Every structure is written in C-alpha cells, then in structure tokens.
Short mmCIF file of all heavy atoms in Angstrom, two decimals:
data_model
loop_
_atom_site.label_atom_id
_atom_site.label_comp_id
_atom_site.label_asym_id
_atom_site.label_seq_id
_atom_site.Cartn_x
_atom_site.Cartn_y
_atom_site.Cartn_z
N VAL A 1 11.83 10.25 -2.43
CA VAL A 1 11.79 11.70 -2.16
C VAL A 1 13.01 12.31 -2.91
O VAL A 1 12.78 13.35 -3.55
CB VAL A 1 11.88 12.00 -0.70
CG1 VAL A 1 12.04 13.45 -0.47
CG2 VAL A 1 10.68 11.50 -0.01
N ARG A 2 14.08 11.63 -2.99
CA ARG A 2 15.28 12.21 -3.74
C ARG A 2 14.90 12.37 -5.19
O ARG A 2 15.42 13.35 -5.81
CB ARG A 2 16.50 11.37 -3.50
CG ARG A 2 17.04 11.52 -2.15
CD ARG A 2 18.33 10.70 -2.06
NE ARG A 2 18.80 10.76 -0.65
CZ ARG A 2 19.35 9.77 0.01
NH1 ARG A 2 19.56 8.61 -0.63
NH2 ARG A 2 19.68 9.86 1.26
N ALA A 3 14.28 11.34 -5.78
CA ALA A 3 13.90 11.38 -7.17
C ALA A 3 13.02 12.57 -7.49
O ALA A 3 13.15 13.27 -8.44
CB ALA A 3 13.28 10.12 -7.67
N CYS A 4 12.10 12.84 -6.53
CA CYS A 4 11.12 14.00 -6.77
C CYS A 4 11.90 15.27 -6.61
O CYS A 4 11.63 16.15 -7.43
CB CYS A 4 10.07 13.97 -5.67
SG CYS A 4 8.83 12.76 -5.85
N GLU A 5 12.83 15.39 -5.77
CA GLU A 5 13.68 16.61 -5.64
C GLU A 5 14.48 16.88 -6.80
O GLU A 5 14.83 18.03 -7.12
CB GLU A 5 14.52 16.43 -4.44
CG GLU A 5 13.74 16.53 -3.10
CD GLU A 5 14.69 16.17 -1.85
OE1 GLU A 5 15.79 15.69 -2.04
OE2 GLU A 5 14.07 16.35 -0.73
N LYS A 6 14.82 15.81 -7.60
CA LYS A 6 15.61 15.95 -8.89
C LYS A 6 14.70 15.98 -10.06
O LYS A 6 15.20 15.88 -11.15
CB LYS A 6 16.62 14.81 -8.94
CG LYS A 6 17.74 14.83 -7.83
CD LYS A 6 18.57 13.67 -8.02
CE LYS A 6 19.65 13.67 -6.85
NZ LYS A 6 20.61 12.58 -7.05
N ASP A 7 13.47 16.20 -9.88
CA ASP A 7 12.47 16.20 -10.95
C ASP A 7 12.47 15.04 -11.85
O ASP A 7 12.12 15.00 -13.01
CB ASP A 7 12.67 17.50 -11.82
CG ASP A 7 12.42 18.75 -11.12
OD1 ASP A 7 11.54 18.77 -10.23
OD2 ASP A 7 13.08 19.79 -11.32
N LEU A 8 12.74 13.88 -11.17
CA LEU A 8 12.61 12.55 -11.90
C LEU A 8 11.20 12.06 -11.62
O LEU A 8 10.61 12.22 -10.58
CB LEU A 8 13.65 11.61 -11.33
CG LEU A 8 15.10 12.06 -11.65
CD1 LEU A 8 16.04 11.03 -10.88
CD2 LEU A 8 15.40 12.06 -13.15
N PRO A 9 10.57 11.35 -12.52
CA PRO A 9 9.28 10.69 -12.28
C PRO A 9 9.27 9.68 -11.16
O PRO A 9 10.14 8.89 -11.15
CB PRO A 9 8.90 10.12 -13.66
CG PRO A 9 10.14 9.95 -14.32
CD PRO A 9 11.05 10.95 -13.85
N VAL A 10 8.27 9.76 -10.32
CA VAL A 10 8.24 8.85 -9.17
C VAL A 10 6.80 8.24 -9.21
O VAL A 10 5.80 8.90 -9.26
CB VAL A 10 8.47 9.48 -7.88
CG1 VAL A 10 8.22 8.51 -6.76
CG2 VAL A 10 9.88 10.00 -7.83
N LEU A 11 6.77 6.87 -9.19
CA LEU A 11 5.50 6.19 -9.10
C LEU A 11 5.66 5.18 -8.03
O LEU A 11 6.38 4.17 -8.19
CB LEU A 11 5.20 5.50 -10.41
CG LEU A 11 3.93 4.61 -10.37
CD1 LEU A 11 2.62 5.47 -10.10
CD2 LEU A 11 3.82 3.83 -11.74
N GLY A 12 5.04 5.42 -6.82
CA GLY A 12 5.02 4.46 -5.79
C GLY A 12 3.85 3.47 -5.93
O GLY A 12 2.87 3.83 -6.46
N LEU A 13 4.14 2.24 -5.41
CA LEU A 13 3.06 1.35 -5.44
C LEU A 13 3.00 0.64 -4.13
O LEU A 13 3.98 0.15 -3.62
CB LEU A 13 3.33 0.24 -6.50
CG LEU A 13 2.43 -1.01 -6.59
CD1 LEU A 13 1.02 -0.55 -6.92
CD2 LEU A 13 2.98 -1.98 -7.67
N PHE A 14 1.80 0.63 -3.51
CA PHE A 14 1.57 -0.09 -2.26
C PHE A 14 0.41 -1.07 -2.50
O PHE A 14 -0.65 -0.66 -3.03
CB PHE A 14 1.17 0.88 -1.09
CG PHE A 14 1.11 0.12 0.17
CD1 PHE A 14 2.23 0.08 0.97
CD2 PHE A 14 -0.07 -0.53 0.60
CE1 PHE A 14 2.15 -0.60 2.21
CE2 PHE A 14 -0.16 -1.08 1.80
CZ PHE A 14 0.99 -1.17 2.67
N VAL A 15 0.66 -2.35 -2.19
CA VAL A 15 -0.41 -3.38 -2.40
C VAL A 15 -1.00 -3.79 -1.02
O VAL A 15 -0.21 -4.25 -0.21
CB VAL A 15 0.15 -4.57 -3.18
CG1 VAL A 15 -0.93 -5.60 -3.40
CG2 VAL A 15 0.78 -4.11 -4.55
N ILE A 16 -2.27 -3.63 -0.91
CA ILE A 16 -2.93 -4.10 0.25
C ILE A 16 -3.23 -5.56 0.01
O ILE A 16 -4.10 -5.93 -0.86
CB ILE A 16 -4.22 -3.33 0.56
CG1 ILE A 16 -3.92 -1.87 0.77
CG2 ILE A 16 -5.02 -3.91 1.76
CD1 ILE A 16 -5.03 -0.92 0.88
N ASP A 17 -2.53 -6.40 0.72
CA ASP A 17 -2.58 -7.89 0.46
C ASP A 17 -3.92 -8.39 1.05
O ASP A 17 -4.24 -8.17 2.20
CB ASP A 17 -1.50 -8.58 1.16
CG ASP A 17 -1.25 -10.01 0.79
OD1 ASP A 17 -2.31 -10.70 0.48
OD2 ASP A 17 -0.10 -10.48 0.80
N ILE A 18 -4.76 -9.03 0.17
CA ILE A 18 -6.07 -9.52 0.52
C ILE A 18 -5.92 -10.55 1.64
O ILE A 18 -6.92 -10.80 2.45
CB ILE A 18 -6.90 -10.06 -0.67
CG1 ILE A 18 -6.09 -11.19 -1.31
CG2 ILE A 18 -7.29 -8.94 -1.64
CD1 ILE A 18 -6.88 -11.90 -2.39
N ARG A 19 -4.77 -11.16 1.77
CA ARG A 19 -4.63 -12.17 2.81
C ARG A 19 -4.66 -11.58 4.21
O ARG A 19 -4.80 -12.21 5.21
CB ARG A 19 -3.38 -13.01 2.62
CG ARG A 19 -3.47 -13.85 1.34
CD ARG A 19 -2.11 -14.43 0.94
NE ARG A 19 -1.23 -13.40 0.40
CZ ARG A 19 -0.23 -13.57 -0.41
NH1 ARG A 19 0.07 -14.82 -0.83
NH2 ARG A 19 0.47 -12.63 -0.83
N TRP A 20 -4.31 -10.21 4.29
CA TRP A 20 -4.37 -9.55 5.61
C TRP A 20 -5.77 -9.56 6.28
O TRP A 20 -5.81 -9.48 7.48
CB TRP A 20 -3.90 -8.12 5.46
CG TRP A 20 -2.46 -7.90 5.06
CD1 TRP A 20 -1.46 -8.88 5.05
CD2 TRP A 20 -1.83 -6.77 4.52
NE1 TRP A 20 -0.30 -8.39 4.64
CE2 TRP A 20 -0.47 -7.07 4.31
CE3 TRP A 20 -2.31 -5.51 4.28
CZ2 TRP A 20 0.38 -6.12 3.79
CZ3 TRP A 20 -1.41 -4.57 3.73
CH2 TRP A 20 -0.08 -4.85 3.59
N ALA A 21 -6.75 -9.66 5.47
CA ALA A 21 -8.19 -9.64 6.01
C ALA A 21 -8.64 -11.02 6.34
O ALA A 21 -9.77 -11.12 6.84
CB ALA A 21 -9.09 -8.94 5.09
N GLN A 22 -7.94 -12.07 6.02
CA GLN A 22 -8.37 -13.44 6.18
C GLN A 22 -8.18 -13.81 7.61
O GLN A 22 -7.37 -13.26 8.37
CB GLN A 22 -7.59 -14.35 5.32
CG GLN A 22 -7.76 -14.18 3.86
CD GLN A 22 -6.94 -15.14 3.02
OE1 GLN A 22 -5.97 -15.69 3.48
NE2 GLN A 22 -7.30 -15.21 1.68
N SER A 23 -9.04 -14.73 8.04
CA SER A 23 -9.03 -15.20 9.44
C SER A 23 -7.81 -16.15 9.63
O SER A 23 -7.38 -16.87 8.63
CB SER A 23 -10.24 -16.00 9.76
OG SER A 23 -11.36 -15.13 9.76
N HIS A 24 -7.20 -16.18 10.77
CA HIS A 24 -6.22 -17.05 11.21
C HIS A 24 -6.82 -18.50 11.27
O HIS A 24 -8.00 -18.67 11.43
CB HIS A 24 -5.67 -16.62 12.53
CG HIS A 24 -4.46 -17.44 12.97
ND1 HIS A 24 -4.56 -18.52 13.70
CD2 HIS A 24 -3.13 -17.18 12.82
CE1 HIS A 24 -3.33 -19.00 13.95
NE2 HIS A 24 -2.52 -18.19 13.42
N LYS A 25 -5.92 -19.48 11.20
CA LYS A 25 -6.46 -20.87 11.21
C LYS A 25 -7.19 -21.23 12.51
O LYS A 25 -7.95 -22.11 12.61
CB LYS A 25 -5.37 -21.86 10.93
CG LYS A 25 -4.27 -21.85 12.03
CD LYS A 25 -3.16 -22.83 11.61
CE LYS A 25 -2.07 -22.72 12.59
NZ LYS A 25 -0.94 -23.64 12.22
N LEU A 26 -6.96 -20.35 13.54
CA LEU A 26 -7.61 -20.54 14.82
C LEU A 26 -8.94 -19.73 14.93
O LEU A 26 -9.61 -19.85 15.93
CB LEU A 26 -6.77 -20.20 16.00
CG LEU A 26 -5.48 -21.03 16.11
CD1 LEU A 26 -4.54 -20.49 17.29
CD2 LEU A 26 -5.81 -22.48 16.40
N GLY A 27 -9.31 -19.03 13.86
CA GLY A 27 -10.61 -18.42 13.79
C GLY A 27 -10.65 -16.93 14.00
O GLY A 27 -11.69 -16.32 13.97
N PHE A 28 -9.48 -16.34 14.35
CA PHE A 28 -9.51 -14.90 14.61
C PHE A 28 -8.82 -14.07 13.49
O PHE A 28 -8.01 -14.69 12.77
CB PHE A 28 -8.89 -14.55 15.95
CG PHE A 28 -7.42 -14.91 16.16
CD1 PHE A 28 -6.38 -14.25 15.68
CD2 PHE A 28 -7.18 -16.29 16.64
CE1 PHE A 28 -5.08 -14.72 15.75
CE2 PHE A 28 -5.86 -16.74 16.77
CZ PHE A 28 -4.78 -15.96 16.31
N THR A 29 -9.16 -12.90 13.30
CA THR A 29 -8.53 -12.11 12.30
C THR A 29 -7.20 -11.59 12.80
O THR A 29 -7.06 -11.23 13.98
CB THR A 29 -9.37 -10.94 11.82
OG1 THR A 29 -9.77 -10.13 12.94
CG2 THR A 29 -10.64 -11.37 11.14
N THR A 30 -6.22 -11.47 11.96
CA THR A 30 -4.88 -11.14 12.42
C THR A 30 -4.69 -9.60 12.40
O THR A 30 -3.82 -9.04 13.04
CB THR A 30 -3.81 -11.71 11.55
OG1 THR A 30 -4.03 -11.35 10.16
CG2 THR A 30 -3.76 -13.22 11.75
N ARG A 31 -5.67 -8.89 11.65
CA ARG A 31 -5.60 -7.42 11.61
C ARG A 31 -7.07 -6.99 11.72
O ARG A 31 -7.89 -7.32 10.97
CB ARG A 31 -4.96 -6.92 10.27
CG ARG A 31 -3.42 -7.27 10.26
CD ARG A 31 -2.83 -7.04 8.87
NE ARG A 31 -1.47 -7.31 8.84
CZ ARG A 31 -0.96 -8.49 8.71
NH1 ARG A 31 -1.71 -9.55 8.56
NH2 ARG A 31 0.34 -8.70 8.65
N GLY A 32 -7.25 -5.99 12.50
CA GLY A 32 -8.53 -5.46 12.78
C GLY A 32 -8.84 -4.14 12.10
O GLY A 32 -8.03 -3.53 11.38
N ALA A 33 -10.02 -3.57 12.44
CA ALA A 33 -10.43 -2.35 11.87
C ALA A 33 -9.47 -1.15 12.21
O ALA A 33 -9.27 -0.34 11.31
CB ALA A 33 -11.89 -2.04 12.28
N HIS A 34 -8.99 -1.14 13.39
CA HIS A 34 -8.06 -0.03 13.80
C HIS A 34 -6.79 -0.08 12.94
O HIS A 34 -6.23 0.96 12.54
CB HIS A 34 -7.83 -0.11 15.29
CG HIS A 34 -9.02 0.10 16.14
ND1 HIS A 34 -9.60 1.40 16.22
CD2 HIS A 34 -9.68 -0.68 16.96
CE1 HIS A 34 -10.61 1.29 17.04
NE2 HIS A 34 -10.76 0.04 17.46
N TRP A 35 -6.25 -1.25 12.75
CA TRP A 35 -5.10 -1.39 11.96
C TRP A 35 -5.28 -0.94 10.48
O TRP A 35 -4.48 -0.14 9.95
CB TRP A 35 -4.64 -2.91 11.91
CG TRP A 35 -3.32 -3.02 11.21
CD1 TRP A 35 -2.06 -2.89 11.83
CD2 TRP A 35 -3.11 -3.36 9.86
NE1 TRP A 35 -1.15 -3.13 10.88
CE2 TRP A 35 -1.64 -3.39 9.72
CE3 TRP A 35 -3.89 -3.62 8.82
CZ2 TRP A 35 -1.10 -3.75 8.45
CZ3 TRP A 35 -3.34 -3.90 7.55
CH2 TRP A 35 -2.02 -3.97 7.43
N PHE A 36 -6.44 -1.30 9.94
CA PHE A 36 -6.75 -0.87 8.53
C PHE A 36 -6.99 0.64 8.49
O PHE A 36 -6.60 1.29 7.51
CB PHE A 36 -7.88 -1.65 7.95
CG PHE A 36 -7.53 -3.01 7.49
CD1 PHE A 36 -7.88 -4.14 8.19
CD2 PHE A 36 -6.80 -3.15 6.27
CE1 PHE A 36 -7.54 -5.42 7.75
CE2 PHE A 36 -6.39 -4.38 5.80
CZ PHE A 36 -6.81 -5.52 6.60
N ARG A 37 -7.60 1.25 9.49
CA ARG A 37 -7.77 2.67 9.61
C ARG A 37 -6.47 3.36 9.59
O ARG A 37 -6.20 4.37 8.91
CB ARG A 37 -8.70 3.01 10.75
CG ARG A 37 -8.82 4.45 10.94
CD ARG A 37 -9.76 5.02 9.92
NE ARG A 37 -9.91 6.48 10.18
CZ ARG A 37 -10.75 7.25 9.46
NH1 ARG A 37 -11.46 6.72 8.47
NH2 ARG A 37 -10.81 8.49 9.76
N PHE A 38 -5.48 2.93 10.42
CA PHE A 38 -4.15 3.49 10.52
C PHE A 38 -3.51 3.38 9.23
O PHE A 38 -2.86 4.35 8.69
CB PHE A 38 -3.34 2.71 11.61
CG PHE A 38 -1.85 3.10 11.57
CD1 PHE A 38 -1.51 4.27 12.09
CD2 PHE A 38 -0.91 2.18 10.96
CE1 PHE A 38 -0.11 4.60 12.05
CE2 PHE A 38 0.37 2.55 10.86
CZ PHE A 38 0.70 3.77 11.46
N LEU A 39 -3.61 2.20 8.54
CA LEU A 39 -2.99 2.04 7.21
C LEU A 39 -3.52 3.04 6.15
O LEU A 39 -2.74 3.64 5.47
CB LEU A 39 -3.16 0.52 6.71
CG LEU A 39 -2.60 0.28 5.35
CD1 LEU A 39 -1.02 0.40 5.30
CD2 LEU A 39 -3.05 -1.19 4.97
N TYR A 40 -4.82 3.18 6.24
CA TYR A 40 -5.48 4.10 5.25
C TYR A 40 -4.98 5.54 5.54
O TYR A 40 -4.61 6.27 4.55
CB TYR A 40 -7.04 4.07 5.46
CG TYR A 40 -7.75 5.17 4.67
CD1 TYR A 40 -8.04 5.00 3.34
CD2 TYR A 40 -8.15 6.31 5.31
CE1 TYR A 40 -8.69 5.97 2.70
CE2 TYR A 40 -8.85 7.28 4.67
CZ TYR A 40 -9.09 7.13 3.39
OH TYR A 40 -9.75 8.10 2.60
N GLU A 41 -4.93 6.00 6.75
CA GLU A 41 -4.41 7.27 7.05
C GLU A 41 -2.92 7.52 6.62
O GLU A 41 -2.64 8.58 6.10
CB GLU A 41 -4.72 7.65 8.50
CG GLU A 41 -6.14 7.77 8.86
CD GLU A 41 -6.38 7.85 10.30
OE1 GLU A 41 -5.45 7.86 11.11
OE2 GLU A 41 -7.61 8.04 10.69
N ALA A 42 -2.14 6.52 6.90
CA ALA A 42 -0.75 6.58 6.66
C ALA A 42 -0.54 6.66 5.05
O ALA A 42 0.24 7.42 4.61
CB ALA A 42 0.01 5.38 7.17
N LEU A 43 -1.29 5.86 4.35
CA LEU A 43 -1.17 5.87 2.88
C LEU A 43 -1.64 7.19 2.29
O LEU A 43 -1.07 7.72 1.33
CB LEU A 43 -1.93 4.67 2.27
CG LEU A 43 -1.23 3.31 2.52
CD1 LEU A 43 -2.19 2.24 2.04
CD2 LEU A 43 0.09 3.20 1.90
N ALA A 44 -2.70 7.74 2.95
CA ALA A 44 -3.26 9.04 2.43
C ALA A 44 -2.22 10.13 2.58
O ALA A 44 -1.97 10.99 1.76
CB ALA A 44 -4.55 9.40 3.14
N GLU A 45 -1.54 10.10 3.72
CA GLU A 45 -0.50 11.10 4.05
C GLU A 45 0.69 10.96 3.08
O GLU A 45 1.21 11.93 2.53
CB GLU A 45 -0.05 10.99 5.45
CG GLU A 45 0.94 12.04 5.85
CD GLU A 45 1.34 12.04 7.35
OE1 GLU A 45 0.70 11.36 8.09
OE2 GLU A 45 2.28 12.69 7.69
N LEU A 46 1.06 9.66 2.90
CA LEU A 46 2.22 9.43 1.93
C LEU A 46 1.79 9.89 0.50
O LEU A 46 2.61 10.48 -0.19
CB LEU A 46 2.53 7.91 1.97
CG LEU A 46 3.63 7.52 0.93
CD1 LEU A 46 4.89 8.30 1.23
CD2 LEU A 46 3.81 5.99 1.06
N LYS A 47 0.58 9.58 0.12
CA LYS A 47 0.18 10.01 -1.18
C LYS A 47 0.10 11.53 -1.39
O LYS A 47 0.65 12.06 -2.33
CB LYS A 47 -1.21 9.48 -1.52
CG LYS A 47 -1.74 9.72 -2.91
CD LYS A 47 -3.06 9.02 -3.19
CE LYS A 47 -3.44 9.13 -4.69
NZ LYS A 47 -4.61 8.30 -4.98
N ASN A 48 -0.30 12.26 -0.33
CA ASN A 48 -0.26 13.73 -0.41
C ASN A 48 1.21 14.27 -0.40
O ASN A 48 1.42 15.17 -1.08
CB ASN A 48 -1.02 14.28 0.86
CG ASN A 48 -2.52 14.10 0.70
OD1 ASN A 48 -3.11 13.94 -0.38
ND2 ASN A 48 -3.17 14.01 1.89
N ASN A 49 2.07 13.64 0.40
CA ASN A 49 3.41 14.10 0.40
C ASN A 49 4.12 13.92 -0.87
O ASN A 49 4.88 14.83 -1.37
CB ASN A 49 4.26 13.43 1.61
CG ASN A 49 3.85 13.86 2.89
OD1 ASN A 49 3.33 14.99 3.03
ND2 ASN A 49 4.03 13.08 3.90
N LEU A 50 3.82 12.74 -1.49
CA LEU A 50 4.45 12.49 -2.83
C LEU A 50 3.87 13.42 -3.90
O LEU A 50 4.60 13.94 -4.78
CB LEU A 50 4.23 11.09 -3.28
CG LEU A 50 5.06 9.99 -2.58
CD1 LEU A 50 4.67 8.59 -2.98
CD2 LEU A 50 6.57 10.22 -2.99
N ALA A 51 2.56 13.65 -3.89
CA ALA A 51 1.95 14.61 -4.83
C ALA A 51 2.46 15.98 -4.65
O ALA A 51 2.68 16.67 -5.65
CB ALA A 51 0.43 14.61 -4.66
N ALA A 52 2.76 16.38 -3.46
CA ALA A 52 3.33 17.75 -3.26
C ALA A 52 4.72 17.87 -3.83
O ALA A 52 5.16 19.03 -4.13
CB ALA A 52 3.41 18.15 -1.72
N ARG A 53 5.38 16.79 -4.06
CA ARG A 53 6.71 16.79 -4.70
C ARG A 53 6.67 16.31 -6.18
O ARG A 53 7.69 15.97 -6.72
CB ARG A 53 7.63 15.91 -3.92
CG ARG A 53 7.93 16.46 -2.54
CD ARG A 53 8.71 15.45 -1.72
NE ARG A 53 9.17 15.97 -0.44
CZ ARG A 53 8.47 16.14 0.59
NH1 ARG A 53 7.19 15.71 0.60
NH2 ARG A 53 8.97 16.53 1.76
N GLY A 54 5.51 16.03 -6.70
CA GLY A 54 5.32 15.76 -8.14
C GLY A 54 5.29 14.22 -8.32
O GLY A 54 5.36 13.77 -9.49
N GLY A 55 5.17 13.42 -7.28
CA GLY A 55 5.12 12.02 -7.41
C GLY A 55 3.73 11.46 -7.27
O GLY A 55 2.73 12.25 -7.05
N THR A 56 3.56 10.13 -7.42
CA THR A 56 2.27 9.52 -7.47
C THR A 56 2.40 8.26 -6.63
O THR A 56 3.40 7.54 -6.65
CB THR A 56 1.81 9.17 -8.87
OG1 THR A 56 1.87 10.30 -9.67
CG2 THR A 56 0.42 8.51 -8.87
N LEU A 57 1.35 7.90 -5.87
CA LEU A 57 1.20 6.62 -5.18
C LEU A 57 0.00 5.88 -5.67
O LEU A 57 -1.06 6.40 -5.51
CB LEU A 57 1.15 6.92 -3.68
CG LEU A 57 1.00 5.66 -2.82
CD1 LEU A 57 2.29 4.72 -2.97
CD2 LEU A 57 0.72 5.99 -1.36
N LEU A 58 0.23 4.75 -6.21
CA LEU A 58 -0.90 3.83 -6.49
C LEU A 58 -1.08 2.92 -5.36
O LEU A 58 -0.16 2.29 -4.82
CB LEU A 58 -0.51 3.05 -7.80
CG LEU A 58 -0.33 3.76 -9.16
CD1 LEU A 58 0.14 2.80 -10.12
CD2 LEU A 58 -1.53 4.45 -9.48
N VAL A 59 -2.32 2.75 -4.99
CA VAL A 59 -2.70 1.82 -3.89
C VAL A 59 -3.67 0.77 -4.53
O VAL A 59 -4.66 1.15 -5.14
CB VAL A 59 -3.37 2.50 -2.75
CG1 VAL A 59 -3.73 1.54 -1.65
CG2 VAL A 59 -2.45 3.55 -2.15
N ARG A 60 -3.23 -0.46 -4.57
CA ARG A 60 -4.04 -1.51 -5.10
C ARG A 60 -4.37 -2.53 -4.12
O ARG A 60 -3.56 -2.73 -3.09
CB ARG A 60 -3.26 -2.22 -6.30
CG ARG A 60 -2.92 -1.24 -7.43
CD ARG A 60 -4.22 -0.82 -8.20
NE ARG A 60 -3.85 -0.03 -9.40
CZ ARG A 60 -4.06 1.29 -9.47
NH1 ARG A 60 -4.44 1.99 -8.45
NH2 ARG A 60 -3.73 1.91 -10.52
N THR A 61 -5.32 -3.33 -4.32
CA THR A 61 -5.74 -4.38 -3.43
C THR A 61 -5.77 -5.72 -4.16
O THR A 61 -6.18 -5.82 -5.33
CB THR A 61 -7.15 -4.21 -2.83
OG1 THR A 61 -7.18 -2.97 -2.24
CG2 THR A 61 -7.52 -5.24 -1.93
N GLY A 62 -5.03 -6.71 -3.64
CA GLY A 62 -4.97 -8.04 -4.21
C GLY A 62 -3.76 -8.77 -3.70
O GLY A 62 -3.28 -8.52 -2.61
N LEU A 63 -3.33 -9.69 -4.44
CA LEU A 63 -2.07 -10.48 -4.19
C LEU A 63 -0.88 -9.69 -4.68
O LEU A 63 -0.85 -9.33 -5.92
CB LEU A 63 -2.10 -11.85 -4.72
CG LEU A 63 -3.19 -12.79 -4.23
CD1 LEU A 63 -3.24 -14.09 -5.02
CD2 LEU A 63 -3.01 -13.05 -2.71
N PRO A 64 0.06 -9.30 -3.81
CA PRO A 64 1.21 -8.48 -4.28
C PRO A 64 1.90 -9.04 -5.45
O PRO A 64 2.32 -8.33 -6.42
CB PRO A 64 2.15 -8.47 -3.10
CG PRO A 64 1.21 -8.59 -1.90
CD PRO A 64 0.16 -9.55 -2.42
N GLU A 65 2.05 -10.36 -5.53
CA GLU A 65 2.76 -10.96 -6.63
C GLU A 65 2.06 -10.84 -7.94
O GLU A 65 2.64 -10.70 -9.03
CB GLU A 65 3.13 -12.46 -6.33
CG GLU A 65 1.88 -13.35 -6.01
CD GLU A 65 1.52 -13.41 -4.54
OE1 GLU A 65 1.90 -12.48 -3.77
OE2 GLU A 65 0.93 -14.36 -4.16
N ASP A 66 0.81 -10.66 -7.92
CA ASP A 66 -0.05 -10.53 -9.12
C ASP A 66 -0.07 -9.00 -9.51
O ASP A 66 0.16 -8.63 -10.61
CB ASP A 66 -1.45 -10.97 -8.91
CG ASP A 66 -1.53 -12.46 -8.79
OD1 ASP A 66 -0.56 -13.24 -9.20
OD2 ASP A 66 -2.53 -12.97 -8.18
N ILE A 67 -0.28 -8.10 -8.49
CA ILE A 67 -0.44 -6.73 -8.73
C ILE A 67 0.81 -6.06 -9.28
O ILE A 67 0.84 -5.30 -10.23
CB ILE A 67 -0.90 -5.97 -7.51
CG1 ILE A 67 -2.24 -6.53 -6.98
CG2 ILE A 67 -1.01 -4.39 -7.67
CD1 ILE A 67 -3.39 -6.34 -7.94
N VAL A 68 2.00 -6.42 -8.68
CA VAL A 68 3.21 -5.87 -9.14
C VAL A 68 3.54 -6.31 -10.60
O VAL A 68 3.89 -5.51 -11.34
CB VAL A 68 4.36 -6.25 -8.22
CG1 VAL A 68 5.77 -5.95 -8.84
CG2 VAL A 68 4.16 -5.75 -6.83
N TYR A 69 3.27 -7.55 -10.85
CA TYR A 69 3.40 -7.95 -12.26
C TYR A 69 2.48 -7.18 -13.26
O TYR A 69 2.89 -6.68 -14.27
CB TYR A 69 3.13 -9.46 -12.44
CG TYR A 69 3.15 -9.97 -13.80
CD1 TYR A 69 4.46 -10.16 -14.40
CD2 TYR A 69 2.10 -10.18 -14.56
CE1 TYR A 69 4.51 -10.62 -15.70
CE2 TYR A 69 2.07 -10.64 -15.85
CZ TYR A 69 3.41 -10.83 -16.47
OH TYR A 69 3.41 -11.24 -17.78
N GLN A 70 1.16 -7.05 -12.90
CA GLN A 70 0.27 -6.26 -13.69
C GLN A 70 0.66 -4.87 -13.89
O GLN A 70 0.50 -4.31 -15.02
CB GLN A 70 -1.19 -6.35 -13.01
CG GLN A 70 -1.79 -7.67 -13.01
CD GLN A 70 -3.02 -7.72 -12.15
OE1 GLN A 70 -3.51 -6.69 -11.68
NE2 GLN A 70 -3.60 -8.96 -11.96
N GLU A 71 1.16 -4.19 -12.84
CA GLU A 71 1.54 -2.82 -13.01
C GLU A 71 2.85 -2.68 -13.83
O GLU A 71 3.11 -1.65 -14.42
CB GLU A 71 1.69 -2.17 -11.64
CG GLU A 71 0.42 -2.00 -10.93
CD GLU A 71 -0.57 -1.12 -11.54
OE1 GLU A 71 -0.24 -0.17 -12.30
OE2 GLU A 71 -1.84 -1.33 -11.32
N ALA A 72 3.74 -3.70 -13.84
CA ALA A 72 4.95 -3.62 -14.49
C ALA A 72 4.83 -3.80 -16.01
O ALA A 72 5.65 -3.32 -16.74
CB ALA A 72 5.93 -4.69 -13.89
N VAL A 73 3.79 -4.49 -16.44
CA VAL A 73 3.61 -4.69 -17.84
C VAL A 73 2.74 -3.75 -18.54
O VAL A 73 2.25 -2.89 -18.15
CB VAL A 73 3.02 -6.11 -18.23
CG1 VAL A 73 4.09 -7.02 -18.63
CG2 VAL A 73 2.25 -6.65 -17.24
#
C-alpha cells in the first residue's frame, strides 16, 4: 500500500497451492468449499483495493515454488 501511495509500481502475487485441495492421508480434505469461497472473496477484495491505488494482484494456481520462479523470469 505504501508503494502505491508513492506512485511506485506494485505487483502482488498470490499462489493458490494445488496441494490445498488434495486429500489428507486419512482420506479427508483439509480445506473445504467454504474455505475456498472465503479465499476467493478475500482475494477479490484485495485485488480491487490494490487496483484502486494503481496496483495489480496476480492470482495463479499451482506449486508456489514453480509459479514464483515463472513470474520472476
């Protein structure tokens, strides 16, 4: 937010880790539909808030260690 206030370019990155949707070794999912709905709404609000200040939020799905590398190069 401070960078936006100073007219500096801001690019946020949030990676939805595909492992979050995988089943636990005991057979249950660790995160359900309500959790993902909350996450979606929170990210939408963050994206709107950043856009209002001239920033951008990229939301990607995958393995964070791969996505961050891909976006950095």
Side-chain angles (χ1 to χ4, degrees):
V1 173
R2 288 185 186 142
C4 289
E5 291 170 350
K6 295 180 181 181
D7 291 328
L8 297 172
V10 173
L11 175 63
L13 174 63
F14 187 91
V15 181
I16 299 172
D17 192 327
I18 58 173
R19 294 171 287 206
W20 292 344
Q22 294 176 346
S23 295
H24 186 273
K25 63 183 177 182
L26 297 176
F28 57 87
T29 57
T30 56
R31 291 169 179 85
H34 294 292
W35 186 86
F36 281 105
R37 177 70 180 184
F38 170 79
L39 179 63
Y40 172 81
E41 291 172 356
L43 290 173
E45 184 175 349
L46 177 59
K47 186 172 186 171
N48 289 337
N49 288 339
L50 284 173
R53 292 173 173 81
T56 305
L57 177 65
L58 296 176
V59 179
R60 300 289 187 256
T61 303
L63 297 173
E65 55 272 24
D66 295 338
I67 301 296
V68 171
Y69 177 79
Q70 291 168 7
E71 294 296 334
V73 261

